[in-house]
Amino acid sequence: MTSPAPTVAKQLSFLDRYLPVWILAAMALGLALGRLVPGLNSALDAVKIGSVSLPIALGLLVMMYPVLAKVRYDETRRITADRRLMGLSLVLNWVLGPALMFALAWVFLPDLPAYRTGLIIVGLARCIAMVLIWNDLACGDREAAAVLVAINSVFQVLAFSALGWFYLVVLPGWLGLPTASADFSFWAIFVSVLVFLGIPLAAGFLTRYVGEKTKGRRWYESVLLPKLGPWALVGLLFTIVLLFALQGETITSRPFDVARIAVPLVAYFAVMWTGSLFASRAAGLDYAHATTVAFTAAGNNFELAIAVAIGTFGVTSGQALAGVVGPLIEVPVLVALVYVSLWLRPRLFPAPAATQVADPTASGPYRG
């Protein structure tokens, strides 16, 4: 039997295949700028949107908008009719996922409250971006993934700040643990989500609606989206450069902190994905839908986590650094899980399943 590994690697675009390399390069450039450019901090703070400097705010909005312009919002009715799929996905994404990250953050980072808080915020930001790539490569159901992304996007606008309050203040208080009440504001998170998710969500929805009405879906997805897609990567890398320029002294003086942040992230992806796949199989879902549930539950929206951490705690905060480390870890781990998924397919789902083999060149967040 031919190994699926080469196929998966070839299906990733050049930008996506080497995304960890680009992130590392952006980190290195940021560290160099922080050392070589005096007064950078003051320059970035000269103009602000709320509590976030204008250049960083623009980077955050640019990286969110193309992702949300890719979502097919009109597919929600068909997919939401599958109660098993929807119920399982909602429980995994909004109950078990945040709870697991909360537990891992406290187990691995009990003495680093800023990084711990950053990881908890990551756990609350459910995946709306890269999951479309991983789902396509693993031969999951593309339309189901698009609908779950749309639901996660809307739900985050409505519930993110309330869940943040619960996991950062209420639940630690119940458990007798230190809370984030001294530096936490429910309204600060609400405003950050509203600005950095609400604005690009509305813009993405309107772009798709107007584009499809005037030119049709085929033109929208084959002509316009390829032009918009790379801007998400540009926004992400631009933001990372600025964050590491401002975080340079902290990072170079405490490099093992980054490694400590990585450990619970790897554990989270592995446990969440494996548990979700087996739970989906036990619920009677076929391979395509089980895979979609697993990847949407395991992935996280690091763009939103970074935006919320910056808007709430500041650009040089440990919370922001924890969010930035996220995509560096997520990409190689979830690519590995694509291989695992394809290897498990004939073993866990031996019966032939009707699966749409998607064209992975059409739906990634950093490409068209």
Side-chain angles (χ1 to χ4, degrees):
M1 183 175 68
T2 303
S3 170
T7 303
V8 171
K10 289 178 181 178
Q11 289 184 41
L12 280 169
S13 73
F14 178 76
L15 290 178
D16 294 324
R17 190 181 310 167
Y18 297 104
L19 184 57
V21 176
W22 313 139
I23 294 174
L24 284 171
M27 291 176 174
L29 176 59
L31 292 174
L33 287 175
R35 290 292 186 90
L36 299 175
V37 181
L40 181 61
N41 205 336
S42 300
L44 289 175
D45 281 337
V47 182
K48 292 185 176 182
I49 295 179
S51 60
V52 181
S53 71
L54 180 60
I56 293 177
L58 291 176
L60 294 171
L61 291 172
V62 167
M63 74 181 178
M64 292 290 288
Y65 165 65
V67 174
L68 292 161
K70 293 177 182 291
V71 177
R72 290 183 177 180
Y73 297 94
D74 61 346
E75 293 288 338
T76 53
R77 289 186 180 180
R78 181 177 65 85
I79 303 299
T80 52
D82 189 335
R83 294 185 177 181
R84 284 183 305 170
L85 175 70
M86 290 304 304
L88 187 60
S89 179
L90 288 173
V91 169
L92 289 168
N93 272 286
W94 297 104
V95 179
L96 297 182
L100 175 61
M101 188 68 88
F102 174 87
L104 291 171
W106 274 99
V107 168
F108 288 99
L109 302 172
D111 57 329
L112 297 171
Y115 300 148
R116 185 177 65 235
T117 297
L119 281 185
I120 292 172
I121 291 174
V122 167
L124 297 176
R126 310 314 301 164
C127 193
I128 64 169
M130 294 289 288
V131 66
L132 298 174
I133 289 181
W134 318 135
N135 182 70
D136 275 359
L137 294 178
C139 299
D141 187 289
R142 172 178 285 184
E143 300 310 327
V147 171
L148 294 179
V149 162
I151 291 172
N152 281 344
S153 301
V154 175
F155 197 85
Q156 283 177 105
V157 174
L158 301 175
F160 191 99
S161 48
L163 288 170
W165 177 263
F166 176 77
Y167 279 102
L168 295 176
V169 177
V170 177
L171 184 56
W174 288 351
L175 299 176
L177 300 170
T179 71
S181 57
D183 55 0
F184 173 86
S185 167
F186 174 93
W187 291 110
I189 282 191
F190 177 78
V191 171
S192 295
V193 173
L194 194 62
V195 172
F196 295 111
L197 179 58
I199 291 175
L201 176 62
F205 174 81
L206 288 174
T207 301
R208 177 172 282 276
Y209 180 80
V210 174
E212 290 190 356
K213 282 290 184 181
T214 56
K215 294 285 190 175
R217 173 163 290 184
R218 184 172 183 177
W219 174 88
Y220 182 83
E221 296 189 344
S222 63
V223 177
L224 182 59
L225 286 185
K227 296 178 181 178
L228 294 178
W231 284 99
L233 178 58
V234 171
L236 175 64
L237 296 180
F238 176 75
T239 303
I240 289 175
V241 168
L242 295 184
L243 285 175
F244 272 74
L246 298 174
Q247 294 267 17
E249 185 177 347
T250 300
I251 295 167
T252 54
S253 62
R254 300 163 71 178
F256 291 107
D257 286 0
V258 175
R260 289 189 61 184
I261 294 170
V263 172
L265 283 169
V266 172
Y268 173 85
F269 294 134
V271 172
M272 198 68 196
W273 185 88
T274 304
S276 299
L277 186 72
F278 280 92
S280 300
R281 181 175 181 269
L285 298 183
D286 61 17
Y287 172 82
H289 289 94
T291 300
T292 299
V293 169
F295 279 104
T296 52
N300 290 91
N301 181 1
F302 289 101
E303 297 91 341
L304 177 61
I306 293 168
V308 169
I310 292 173
T312 307
F313 300 100
V315 68
T316 59
S317 65
Q319 291 88 342
L321 177 60
V324 170
V325 173
L328 179 66
I329 306 302
E330 180 190 44
V331 174
V333 171
L334 289 189
V335 166
L337 288 175
V338 169
Y339 296 134
V340 173
S341 181
L342 294 172
W343 181 80
L344 287 175
R345 181 178 185 176
R347 293 161 177 82
L348 294 181
F349 303 88
T355 304
Q356 177 187 5
V357 181
D359 173 12
T361 64
S363 66
Y366 302 128
R367 53 197 163 117

